[in-house]
Amino acid sequence: MEQRRRDSPRAPGCLLGYVVALLLWSTAWAQIRYSISEEVKEGTVVGNLAKDLGLDKNTLKERKYRIVSSNADPLFHVNQNDGVLYVSKKIDREEVCAQSSTCLITLKTVLENPLEVHNAFVEVLDVNDNSPSFQEKGKTLEISESVVPGARFQLKAARDPDSGHFSVQQYKLSQNDHFRLEVKDKEDEGKIPILVVQKSLDRETRERHSLVLTALDGGKPPKSGGMTILVNVLDINDNAPVFTKDVYSVMLDENVPVGTTVTQVNATDLDEGPNGEVVYSFSSSINQKILNLFDINQSTGEIIVKGLINYEEKEKYEIEIEASDKGLAPLTTEKSVIIKIVDVNDNTPEIEVTSFSSSIPEDSRPGTTVALISVNDMDSSLNGKVICAINDNNPFTLSPSFEENMYSLVTKSPLDREKQSKYDVTIVAKDAGKPPLSSEKTISVVISDVNDNSPVFSLSPYTFYVTEANEPGTSVFSVKALDDDDNDNALITYHILRSEDTVSSFLNMNSETGDILALKSFDFETLKKFQFQVVATDSGTPSLSNNVTVNVFILDQNDNAPVILYPLSSNGSAEGVEEIPRNVNAGHLVTKVRAYDADIGYNGWLLFSLQEVTDHSLFGLDRYTGQIRTLRSFTETDEAEHKLVILVKDNGNVSLSATATVVVKVVEPKEAFAASDVKSPAKDDDSNVTFYLMITLGSVSALFIISIIVLIAMQCSKTPDYTSKYLEDKNYDGTLCHSIQYRSGDKRYMLVGPRMSIGSTIVPGSHANTLVLPDRRRRSEETLYVPKNHKCSCSETLYRMVSLSCKKKKKKQWFCRHRVVSPPL
């Protein structure tokens, strides 16, 4: 133990004040204790808390070391820079602790992050700064001359606000022959002076005695206060009242109503007349607090409750009752009545949150302290025994402390702000009285966010369909990601993950909104699909990210006009001349207009029509195949030259077209043969060359016939594993479904449209986009190949397809049997 003293400037030549710092470390409680005298100046150093707690200066600032006090005007304060405890204002011990034997002030000090509480105790030592004083400056006693030596008269005690050794320690009576002084030491009342008759009184000799009673405290030098006692000697009344009981003791419940009778005392006097009539009163030395609580009936001796009785203020009262007769020199007898107060459960528990963290991070481990809670009940015994609990629907629990009625609110399970960001914790304190009383207090705990969630895209993967010929620089599609975190942890930025693929180089992305812009127009004929990845990153520390694959399919637009392949003249124009003999029959094939369209689907399906013709009755055009045939035989009156203008139009929403011009010359059969001879580069005199040409022509013809036979044999022997197979039907008339196959990336697609004849072919150079078909309208069946992972389906546009059956063959490929019905044109 270390003590510090200093001279006080209160009075010259004497030690008026001192400062004592007492530091105690207890293995049971781990508490700090200091001592300091009252009346020291403001700013006096009490002790160094940081040094005694082993804390450095940086820790004091970073963890916000402070004193937690509910008092608006605290007595002490601590310097956060060095941890020194100072006196905030002048301390009056008598004001702070009244007359308590020990004046101990508890200071709660707090360190934050993590939460840590230390209790420091400051004992305020008394200074002899008050003198004893009597309630009355003078006291008059009337004593009969008949009193025998030894008669006792209790006087009111002197009061000294100081405590302990500096309170009233002794009394002195002025020098006289008839009286002496005795002192009775009471626990609650202190030292009580009693005037004792030492020598018989004689009124005829001396009828009045004047005495001075002096009270002294234990200071050095002692302080004193005096009272004058005037004793009047009365004539004889030789019998004093006598109480019927030796001891009066009673039990009284607290909070009993005003007017309740506590007990009744009784005394008798053997004298007659006024000298035998007894009246009751409280002793003149009784405390004023007792007079405020109790009253006595002077005639009956009943003690009645006058004020509110509170067990928590005082557990026992000892009241001095005087019984006096009505003689000229009344005789008085005193008796003590002991009233024991019985505790009633009339105080609800009080809950105090001494330290509280309103926000904790969601990654706090189980066992993290959130708040310190103290519970107090002013009742005693079982009425003051408190049990504390909290509601169950939260991840917190109460952990008892080593101090009674102290608890820590700690986490019991992991926290997740995304599931619940705030908890209202209700603390219920209940005592063990009958009936029990309880109180509750609700505190709100906010869960602060930690970056523990990565951004999540609304779709994965994304698939977008973009029409070709889009406007460069405009947004074509956007992606969106969400983050369950809060504030910056949920602030998402986007960027495209660049790769060696040049496709992503002509894309730009808005990092805030996720909008993706195309820096150039897409061309379906050049690029049909592409793929890239987008990364979403939050703004947390450290940041979390997620990526998603974006598949983009380019949709075809009707942006390509049909191109004429035949007829094509030498100068590049779509114009040709055809010569036919005049003797041809109806249905003769004059020529075939061939065309293709770079678009696909309906945008690439071509229809042929006669835009201009010299004689509508002579020539006919197949709208699907582009074949020009004679409708009748030629007559002598028919012109020798005919001009046909053919319009080739696709099936786009906004159709594009091209025209071809065919000039048909009608010649006589001999002229046609002669013309063929003229056109031949052979010479009549070169018979060898002609011979070899005939051999070559015959070989080619034979080879062609063999190829046709082999092709027909292969067609008949095809298995269902081929891409398509035509099935016979009872109504089959030699027509088949018109289908188009094309590839997009690694997938193969088949489009089905109006039917075509068996002899119809795909025009060379058309990229499988243009099919030439006759105008037939009958039903047929066919087996169509459906790409892998696709189900059988039907659609209805220019045709109607009804699924009949589906079969699963090897390699997980589906072969579906359909009936195709063409609509009327």
Side-chain angles (χ1 to χ4, degrees), residues 152 154-155 184-187 189 192 194 243 246 248 265 280-287 290-291 294-296 303 317-323 332-339:
R152 301 157 60 87
Q154 184 170 312
L155 305 175
K184 180 180 179 181
D185 197 350
K186 277 188 165 185
E187 254 180 56
E189 305 296 333
I192 307 298
I194 300 175
F243 286 94
D246 293 333
Y248 286 93
V265 297
Y280 304 93
S281 63
F282 290 131
S283 171
S284 58
S285 63
I286 197 170
N287 193 299
I290 297 178
L291 294 176
F294 302 98
D295 198 2
I296 190 169
I303 300 175
Y317 295 93
E318 185 176 354
I319 304 175
E320 297 292 338
I321 306 297
E322 292 182 349
T332 303
T333 303
E334 292 186 353
K335 182 63 68 176
S336 292
V337 176
I338 298 174
I339 302 174

Side-chain angles (χ1 to χ4, degrees), residues 680-695:
S680 175
K683 296 181 181 180
D684 294 338
D685 59 352
D686 193 357
S687 59
N688 290 334
V689 175
T690 303
F691 176 75
Y692 288 122
L693 286 174
M694 292 177 65
I695 293 175

